[in-house]
Amino acid sequence: MELQVIWFFIWGLLWAAFFMTDGFDLGVGTLYPFLGSDETDKRKMINAIGPLWDGNEVWLITAGGVTFAAFPLVYATMFSSLYTPLMFILFGLIIRGVSFEFRGLSDSALWKKTWDTCIFVGSFVPALLFGVAFANIFMGLPIDGEGILHGNLFTLLNPYGIMGGVLFVLLFMQHGALWLCIRTEEGLQQKAIQTARMLWPVALSVLAVFVIASWFYTDLYANYLAMPLLFTVPVLAVAAFIGARIFLGKGRYFPAWGMSAAGIVATTFFGIIGLFPNLFPSSLDPAYSLNAMNSASSPLTLTIMLWVVVCLIPLVIAYQAWAYYTFRFKVEKEDFTY
């Protein structure tokens, strides 16, 4: 297999890993004003994700770094044409991280309310804009041969882009509610269970509509029609989400969360596989599209990076597995550090 192809799928895998891990804490942050009815519940929600959220964002940094090093033309075009939404995402993630640390520094009601709002905004906005950005990439952006976007932020807010944003928010909220089922108990856990049950049919319905709409708005299905075996991936996504609901109904919350994680990974790969070999397709002219072949670094660079990834990624996975194992217990008041 060619190095460019290997790196294309590593690029997709890193984004899938980010959505799988950071997705649940973005979901918890989005649910924060709705499930955090009192100070104890709010602190339980923050501490349920507190030890893990920054480690989860390692995958975002890695995905961005791989885009820069393996596909520098895509990195330059993406960060110039999607500058505004990416800045909103960055500011949102920074505000959320600061909120966790600053919220407990004063007992003032106004102070806490301000940072509570920041936790919600810093979770909801990145979740929404990641969905909008990736839906637009699937559809193709109006970029010319020099990588200049012929449009603005409102160009991205088209029906398919907004549908992608809503889908990401719903999947992350469902993922977050299942995580709260694992790490909380009593009243907050019951609210999380009810929320996960309520969100499941809504998220699955929007996913079904998004998959159908992709037929009309994108060229994602070309690869699937050329190789029908690939339809296994979206089928696995649906099977994983159904599995999540079955485990939720049986009160087995960790397997339910695992199925939700698998569903998010498979949903991401539904788009990545359909996109191949394009990374940043142009809706103006296919000749302007950036793909794994015309935007990749030199073979020497890709080879060196591959060895680095083979050596370091297992260490990152091992660290995260240890962190998740360590913080697998229910959050108690004596565990409050935020």
Side-chain angles (χ1 to χ4, degrees):
M1 186 180 290
E2 295 182 47
L3 278 169
Q4 293 90 339
V5 176
I6 293 173
W7 273 105
F8 177 90
F9 285 103
I10 291 176
W11 174 80
L13 184 61
L14 291 172
W15 280 111
F18 170 65
F19 294 142
M20 176 184 70
T21 55
D22 209 38
F24 75 82
D25 55 55
L26 290 172
V28 170
T30 305
L31 291 170
Y32 184 75
F34 307 106
L35 300 188
S37 55
D38 56 34
E39 180 64 14
T40 301
D41 283 354
K42 288 176 180 176
R43 295 196 68 182
K44 282 184 178 179
M45 292 179 74
I46 295 173
N47 282 276
I49 59 174
L52 302 169
W53 71 269
D54 47 355
N56 294 337
E57 292 191 356
V58 167
W59 296 108
L60 174 63
I61 297 169
T62 310
V66 163
T67 309
F68 171 74
F71 304 106
L73 283 177
V74 173
Y75 183 89
T77 305
M78 178 184 292
F79 279 80
S80 57
S81 59
L82 299 179
Y83 184 81
T84 303
L86 289 175
M87 283 299 103
F88 278 125
I89 288 173
L90 180 62
F91 290 145
L93 293 175
I94 291 173
I95 287 171
R96 185 180 64 138
V98 170
S99 301
F100 293 150
E101 301 294 338
F102 277 35
R103 184 182 183 279
L105 297 182
S106 170
D107 291 328
S108 162
L110 178 61
W111 176 269
K112 289 188 181 298
K113 188 174 182 180
T114 300
W115 292 113
D116 286 347
T117 303
C118 290
I119 290 173
F120 170 72
V121 173
S123 301
F124 172 76
V125 171
L128 179 74
L129 292 182
F130 271 124
V132 170
F134 269 83
N136 275 279
I137 290 173
F138 294 159
M139 190 170 62
L141 287 157
I143 54 171
D144 62 21
E146 297 181 348
I148 298 173
L149 179 73
H150 291 255
N152 50 43
L153 177 62
F154 296 102
T155 307
L156 307 178
L157 299 178
N158 52 72
Y160 186 72
I162 293 172
M163 196 185 308
V166 172
L167 175 63
F168 270 48
V169 170
L170 289 171
L171 290 181
F172 291 171
M173 288 172 70
Q174 165 80 5
H175 204 35
L178 291 172
W179 183 254
L180 290 176
C181 293
I182 296 171
R183 296 221 62 204
T184 63
E185 55 188 356
E186 300 174 343
L188 180 56
Q189 186 191 45
Q190 290 305 313
K191 286 189 287 186
I193 293 169
Q194 292 172 5
T195 302
R197 287 176 174 169
M198 181 187 68
L199 284 172
W200 185 83
V202 180
L204 207 62
S205 299
V206 174
L207 175 63
V209 173
F210 182 80
V211 169
I212 294 170
S214 297
W215 178 274
F216 301 98
Y217 281 96
T218 74
D219 294 325
L220 292 181
Y221 284 97
N223 287 338
Y224 289 92
L225 294 175
M227 191 178 294
L229 186 62
L230 294 174
F231 278 106
T232 308
V233 175
V235 170
L236 284 176
V238 174
F241 287 125
I242 292 173
R245 182 62 183 88
I246 292 172
F247 281 120
L248 175 64
K250 293 181 177 179
R252 299 181 62 190
Y253 305 122
F254 193 81
W257 180 84
M259 287 288 104
S260 173
I264 289 174
V265 171
T267 301
T268 305
F269 266 90
F270 160 72
I272 296 296
I273 290 171
L275 203 58
F276 180 80
N278 290 317
L279 289 122
F280 216 69
S282 168
S283 59
L284 297 180
D285 188 333
Y288 300 151
S289 297
L290 297 176
N291 59 48
M293 307 304 170
N294 66 13
S295 64
S297 296
S298 68
L300 177 60
T301 302
L302 297 180
T303 302
I304 293 172
M305 286 175 52
L306 191 60
W307 280 108
V308 172
V309 164
V310 168
C311 293
L312 294 184
I313 290 297
L315 294 177
V316 176
I317 293 173
Y319 167 75
Q320 285 215 295
W322 171 81
Y324 277 65
Y325 181 77
T326 302
F327 296 102
R328 68 189 184 280
F329 301 108
K330 303 286 186 185
V331 178
E332 305 289 349
K333 284 188 177 179
E334 55 267 27
D335 300 323
F336 288 175
T337 55
Y338 294 92

